[in-house]
Amino acid sequence: MTDSTMMLPSVSRLLSRERLVRWAPILVLGLLVLFFPFFEWLMDFLEGKGHAYLFDSRFFSIRNAARIGIAASPGLMVAVGVTFIILMGSIDLSMEGTVSVCAVLFAFVFLAWGATLASWAWLAVPLALVVGAAMGFVNGLVHIWLKIPSFMASLAMGFVGTGLALILTGGDRIRIEDELFRSLLTERIFNFPVMVYVAFFFLLVAWFIQSRTTLGRNFYAVGGGEELAHASGLNVERVRLMGFTLAGVFFAVGALLAVGRIGIAETATGNNFLFISITTVVVGGTALWGGIGGVWNTLVGVLIVNVINNGMIVIGLPAFFQDGVLGILVILAVALSVNRRSTSFVK
Amino acid sequence: MNLERIKPHFPWLTLLALALLVGIANPSFLVPSSLLSLVADIVPLFIMALGMTFAIYIGGIDLSVQQLANMVTVIATVYLAQFGASVAVICILAGLLFGAVSGYVTNRLYVPSFVSTLAMGFIALSVAKYLSGQRALYMDATLRDANFGWMFGNTAGVPHELVIAVFLLALAWFLQKKTTFGRALKAIGSGEPAAVASGLNVVRVKVLAFAVSGAFAAIAGLMFSVKLSGGDANLANGFLLLAIVAVLVGGTPLTGGVGGVINTAVGTLIVMVIRAAMVYVEISATQQQMIFGVVLIIAIALTIDRSKMQIVK
């Protein structure tokens, strides 16, 4: 709520306040990273064991950081994809279907063309990205041509995608046992598996698109005010279509990493990506109404959620508490990073 | 008769056309007794969608309904022996409470309802897992029949679930059309800043809308629990997206202020016809999901009234 009488005398305070709100997600992440080792220290202290804070922590270790990285990488790619859509003020709920189709088609083609990255089967990788782009493109077409709000269009396209994956597999699981492809998980550079670097590389690509290309600027323009963007001569529909296509490519990268992580492609590969990816985007500080945030916010959001999930296991929280604690922490994280002065109401 | 005037009637015209198409393909679909039992089967989903309508009507969304229903199946099963039929009151109060907290978090802590209700759903899941000890629980059959046996069965060919559904629909319609609460909902859905400016206690109305949604989800959960004679933290899984689809296909867009509970009744019936149709025209199980998605796109494209949306986001 804007309080106009307070505005003038406290401009400097407002500035620092806004800065605080902007950095709130990172602060939350930092606090979480320090909290879980503290909990471990406290437990050992109460039992009378010697424990140097941070140094003896099981959570605060390279091994565990790698574990968080592995768990977070596929989700990060999907969340980065949907970030572009949310920046435009739209939403994309088709990721579960797209991820499943890309994973399954990749696996089929990969096995058919030689079953190892050292043969022509490597072509299955770019093919998966093209399939992802095509599905995003169709998703965007349904949304734009039929003038169906993206929420409904992409939700229905998600059903189509999952259904397509089901038809392709008939419910079977496809194993990928190629050692070269599995080196995404097994090969480690500086203690982190290759997939973490791949995810980081695509994050940089996304950042480049967002901040250094016209398309990226246009996402912000559409999200900041569609009527204005339209009035200033922007082809809004084309930007939207490109956005959904781009998101599809990132969903496909997420699918490849998901297959690389467990070595199995199936209809269920896409499960659970839908709600968690949008939650991570919001936790990172990107606004659902568009125009605010970006891919770095999404990285922070993904890390927050994965640190919480990992930390709860490391400190041995009973399994039935974990969902609830995640829920409470997500609410707290978002509530802390909302700028109440610039938000008049929330939907 | 111009296009503008028949637009609001698109949802039920679509329903009629779909039902007729399936009826032509397989006449046994239109036999009244089988139709009635198909409709009766979808009642828990309908009740969930009915509650969700209130959240969507004000431009929000309630993603906690499925987990609330899960939690209620566990609560009902665990406490049936102790409280008898009044366990229903506990269930509905639990739904109201969770819904109200969702509403509070959304409107006072400024967490978008997409995230706040999802998070409340996680909390409900934890409660369900804790109370059930992460096992599937079963109700005592005699206790169940004595307390809730009236929920199911037939009187003069009319399934009791249908009576419950009609009663709840009437209640929701009354809330939406005939109370100041319902008027306030419409005002908020159509334009929240204007509603605030005209002195409406917007926060209270919105919290109440989420509470109503939670209460309906709880009733749906209770019906699941009695129908399947047990409770489990995963019993109602798979119903969330269907409930959203039922509301949207009925013609209540996510922007709020348009549509309402009658639309949701039509939307649920459309979902039912599409799903039943695949059985009646003998589509194989692996293909059903994809066909459902495609038909859904067509149904949504036909039913939504675009004249009230300035920008399609």
Side-chain angles (χ1 to χ4, degrees), chain A residues 281-301:
Chain A
V281 170
V282 174
V283 167
T286 299
L288 275 178
W289 47 90
I292 305 166
V295 294
W296 292 112
N297 291 74
T298 299
L299 173 67
V300 175

Side-chain angles (χ1 to χ4, degrees), chain A residues 219-237:
Chain A
F219 289 154
Y220 282 96
V222 171
E226 181 157 345
E227 277 159 355
L228 197 62
H230 183 73
S232 54
L234 191 63
N235 188 341
V236 173
E237 296 196 338

Side-chain angles (χ1 to χ4, degrees), chain A residues 2 8 49 69 155 165 176 179 190 192 196 210 229 238 243 247 249 269 272 276 285 303 310 312 318 331-332 342 346:
Chain A
T2 335
L8 268 178
K49 285 189 224 159
L155 185 62
I176 301 280
E179 282 185 8
F190 298 118
F192 284 91
V196 173
Q210 171 195 296
R238 227 193 73 191
V249 175
T269 304
N272 299 327
I276 210 69
L303 286 178
N310 174 283
M312 287 191 300
I331 290 177
L332 283 179
S342 70
V346 154

Side-chain angles (χ1 to χ4, degrees), chain B residues 39-52:
Chain B
V39 174
D41 275 344
I42 207 155
V43 165
L45 172 69
F46 169 63
I47 296 172
M48 217 183 249
L50 208 52
M52 173 92 74

